Amino acid sequence: MGIEFDEAAAARLVVCATEAALALRGSALPRRGAAEAALRDLAGGYARCFEAGRVIESGDRVRLAAALDDLADQVRIVRHQADQERRRLAAHAAWRARTADRERALVGVGAVWEPVLDAGAAVLDPEPSDAPVRPTPVSAAFRPRRRARTAGHSGGRSSADPEHLRRFAATTRALDGAMEQDLVRLRNAWSGFTSRCGWVPIDVATLPLGFGELLAENEEDAAWAERIADAFAAAGGGTLADTVLDAAGSSVLPPAVERLLDASLTPAQVAERWRELGLTADDLRALPLTTQVRVAALDGIPATARDVVSRAVLAAALRDPARLYRVFGLAYTYGAVSLEEFTEQVQALAAGLRQADRLAAKLTAPTEAVAQLVGFGVANGAPVAAIVLGNLDAATNVTINVPGATTTLGSLSEKAQAASTLLRTAARKNGSDSYAVVSWFGYRAPAFAEVPAQQRAAAGGATLASFLDGIHDSRVTTPRSLSVLGHSYGSTTAAEALEQVRYPVDNFVTYGSVGFTEATEPEHLHARHVFATEGAADHTAIWGRIGRTDPRDIAGIEVFSAEAAPGTDAVTGHDMFPEGDGQVGYLSPDATAQHTIASIIATGAPR
């Protein structure tokens, strides 16, 4: 009899906790620099208030890093204890088997020799311990302190440099944006550990919540600094009464909305709080821009709602790219795209959305003739988004297509066209379903030189896992079928996601894959069926598989052809949907691979 302890889930939690602790400590210097710059021209009661908040944040960040290290150490201990218990159980089972063999051998030797042989066995083969190893209870405890954001008295006056306050807000937002990905990974890993390691008792489990609360406090500090900066800018400099700043700096959002924006929430918790609010589209359009940015990023709210706020944020970015560049924290993010590139990608996103709207207008029942923009934001210093053809909230058949390396929002028009042709082919194979096909650009795809590394896949996988779970949690009904497609490096990212999701998908299809990590097995992927294909003319995918495993070589994964067949064409390269004459991509309308993938989406089978 074994114990309920998943070694892989425990190992993932150790890695995620350790990496998050390192990231927290690594953010200390830029945070301190931004705060000191803001304090340089900040005077009066608000300088004292700002400094007090900085001290609390620094102390809480150190405490959180220590709590994460302690959690990793505790999990390492219970991993060792689990190994000891498994060894003890195995030794005891082997001893019982040997004892049974001896008892059978004693039959017929006579009562005179039996005590002698029994005594000899007890000396030479004693019974191993039957006392079970008791695991040390795991305690994951952390809660941040609240910070005051008023001067706390009347009659005083304060002064500040608005630009320094805005720089502080942008810098801390950029740092916290990276930490939010660590939080997502930690939250997924903690959920996997607690659900798959029931042998280990849990004493306290406030750390994932407290981590999110710390980020929420940081976000409120950033928003507070921006509101104070706006007040000083509107006044034209000089000093302002602390009582005026108290009013300008206070949040106008009701507590229920703040609870919805808690960064530690799972998609299921977001969905529950969203339903309690009952916000309409008009309510969403009336939210402040910074709040719309946060709502657009929420997994667990309906796609129709995310579409409203995402389009509002996109409209603001088109009007004033430089402002959104700062709001997203890109101006002070190391390695972020430039303002010029951000502007180009925003314009490309708008063009892709217009293309999607035109393509959606041609969709026929039962598929709804709508397109949705879900989650326009940033990840790892680059703009990200997802565009849906069909209604993601109601479609009975849902597909998420994850693109590969070097992909940016600049190719959204092309990917929307690929989604449209794929949807139409699937609908011809099964006309009873309504369809939604998502072109998911929710992670910063790697440059060619980054493809051999796993970092982009790990970061994108955590985000994609949350997105996939959010589809289930936000809907009234579960889709009849949910498929994930991964092209090139997108398959590597999707594999990372499918190791973390709470809800299994029906089909996972890789095409032109750059491979899985060597430790990945089909049973690690929460997918009922896994398929793979690659064209003979695709000479790019094999380069990306250096250090990785070709999914076609993994037992249990069904391989299908991308070569020519009666009425269909072979792929001519690595591209998903090339636009050049004579070029055939994996999702080109006449490609064998496209028709097979459409069949898997529509029927669950490759034919």
Side-chain angles (χ1 to χ4, degrees):
M1 181 178 181
I3 59 174
E4 186 184 358
F5 188 89
D6 187 324
E7 176 66 23
R12 179 176 287 275
L13 180 56
V14 170
V15 170
C16 291
T18 302
E19 290 180 349
L22 287 172
L24 282 164
R25 293 188 175 98
S27 69
L29 188 59
R31 286 183 188 278
R32 179 178 177 179
E36 289 178 348
L39 278 167
R40 203 171 298 133
D41 296 288
L42 189 59
Y46 265 70
R48 292 187 292 273
C49 181
F50 186 95
E51 173 62 14
R54 185 182 75 87
V55 170
I56 292 174
E57 186 279 333
S58 177
D60 285 349
R61 180 165 24 85
V62 170
R63 287 196 304 115
L64 176 56
L68 287 164
D69 284 338
D70 183 57
L71 174 60
D73 288 339
Q74 292 179 70
V75 177
R76 290 189 186 98
I77 290 171
V78 296
R79 288 176 68 187
H80 177 66
Q81 292 170 335
D83 182 64
Q84 289 181 312
E85 177 61 359
R86 287 189 176 120
R87 291 174 182 271
R88 186 195 68 80
L89 290 171
H92 208 275
W95 177 83
R96 288 198 301 270
R98 292 194 300 273
T99 300
D101 290 341
R102 286 194 295 270
E103 289 174 352
R104 285 192 293 270
L106 286 173
V107 175
V109 302
V112 174
W113 293 102
E114 187 172 340
V116 175
L117 295 174
D118 282 344
V123 173
L124 298 176
D125 189 13
E127 178 182 359
S129 173
D130 62 351
V133 175
R134 301 294 182 187
T136 304
V138 169
S139 177
F142 171 79
R143 298 298 291 270
R145 292 165 289 177
R146 301 301 178 191
R147 306 169 202 168
R149 297 183 180 88
T150 60
H153 61 85
S154 60
R157 302 185 71 82
S158 297
S159 60
D161 183 330
E163 190 55 36
H164 286 169
L165 289 172
R166 293 193 179 103
R167 185 178 293 270
F168 164 81
T171 300
T172 56
R173 273 207 180 98
L175 293 167
D176 287 334
M179 289 306 307
E180 283 180 1
Q181 295 189 20
D182 288 315
L183 171 59
V184 170
R185 295 182 66 198
L186 178 74
R187 187 180 64 201
N188 291 341
W190 175 255
S191 177
F193 177 79
T194 55
S195 64
R196 299 170 200 165
C197 300
W199 179 69
V200 181
I202 305 298
D203 270 356
V204 183
T206 58
L207 191 151
L209 174 64
F211 195 160
E213 288 176 340
L214 177 65
L215 295 182
E217 283 288 318
N218 290 350
E219 167 56 28
E220 183 53 28
D221 269 354
W224 173 71
E226 284 184 331
R227 292 192 292 268
I228 298 305
D230 289 344
F232 278 110
T239 65
L240 288 175
D242 289 342
T243 52
V244 171
L245 292 173
D246 287 347
S250 64
S251 174
V252 298
L253 294 177
V257 176
E258 292 287 5
R259 289 179 64 247
L260 173 71
L261 300 176
D262 185 337
S264 69
L265 298 182
T266 65
Q269 292 168 324
V270 169
E272 180 181 357
R273 294 187 179 184
W274 173 263
R275 294 183 186 108
E276 291 173 355
L277 284 175
L279 297 180
T280 66
D282 287 341
D283 293 329
L284 294 171
R285 294 187 185 97
L287 289 172
L289 175 61
T290 53
T291 305
Q292 289 175 332
V293 168
R294 296 169 67 188
V295 172
L298 289 178
D299 295 321
I301 71 171
T304 50
R306 293 185 81 170
D307 181 52
V308 170
V309 290
S310 295
R311 287 177 186 257
V313 174
L314 176 58
L318 289 169
R319 289 192 303 269
D320 191 349
R323 180 189 179 196
L324 267 293
Y325 191 75
R326 293 193 302 271
V327 168
F328 284 137
L330 297 174
Y332 309 106
T333 300
Y334 178 76
V337 299
S338 65
L339 174 58
E340 292 73 20
E341 185 175 350
F342 174 77
T343 303
E344 290 175 2
Q345 291 200 41
V346 165
Q347 293 170 346
L349 173 59
L353 184 58
R354 290 192 296 270
Q355 168 82 329
D357 286 333
R358 289 192 294 268
L359 293 168
K362 300 176 183 178
L363 297 175
T364 57
T367 297
E368 292 188 40
V370 298
Q372 297 166 325
L373 176 61
V374 287
F376 172 42
V378 296
N380 295 115
V384 295
I387 286 183
V388 189
L389 289 180
N391 187 347
L392 189 56
D393 295 327
T396 58
N397 191 308
V398 173
T399 299
I400 294 86
N401 188 30
V402 185
T406 74
T407 305
T408 69
L409 298 183
S411 66
L412 257 171
S413 292
E414 166 199 314
K415 300 302 188 293
Q417 184 65 47
S420 176
T421 59
L422 182 64
L423 188 157
R424 292 174 186 278
T425 305
R428 286 195 295 270
K429 295 177 181 292
N430 176 10
S432 61
D433 269 340
S434 58
Y435 292 86
V437 177
V438 184
S439 298
W440 191 81
F441 290 68
Y443 78 119
R444 185 174 186 176
F448 278 124
E450 297 175 301
V451 169
Q454 195 71 10
Q455 284 88 340
R456 296 295 190 196
T463 306
L464 178 58
S466 181
F467 180 82
L468 290 169
D469 285 341
I471 293 174
H472 283 274
D473 293 325
S474 65
R475 287 176 51 119
V476 176
T477 58
T478 301
R480 181 195 66 79
S481 176
L482 195 154
S483 302
V484 175
L485 316 179
H487 174 236
S488 186
Y489 195 90
S491 66
T492 311
T493 301
E496 288 274 352
L498 293 179
E499 290 190 25
Q500 303 176 52
V501 291
R502 291 168 48 236
Y503 304 99
V505 303
D506 295 285
N507 308 297
F508 175 32
V509 182
T510 76
Y511 55 105
S513 174
V514 299
F516 299 163
T517 61
E518 293 181 356
T520 303
E521 299 291 344
E523 58 267 25
H524 297 159
L525 305 172
H526 292 80
R528 296 183 177 92
H529 306 285
V530 184
F531 304 88
T533 192
E534 183 172 310
D538 183 348
H539 304 303
T540 301
I542 190 171
W543 177 84
R545 285 198 292 271
I546 297 173
R548 296 194 184 95
T549 301
D550 189 333
R552 296 175 299 166
D553 296 335
I554 299 176
I557 293 181
E558 184 171 348
V559 179
F560 62 92
S561 175
E563 304 311 312
T568 56
D569 300 329
V571 298
T572 58
H574 183 65
D575 289 344
M576 178 196 298
F577 196 80
E579 297 180 339
D581 291 339
Q583 299 298 306
V584 179
Y586 286 97
L587 295 188
S588 293
D590 295 327
T592 303
Q594 194 254 26
H595 283 258
T596 305
I597 292 171
S599 181
I600 292 170
I601 291 169
T603 68
R607 59 188 64 85

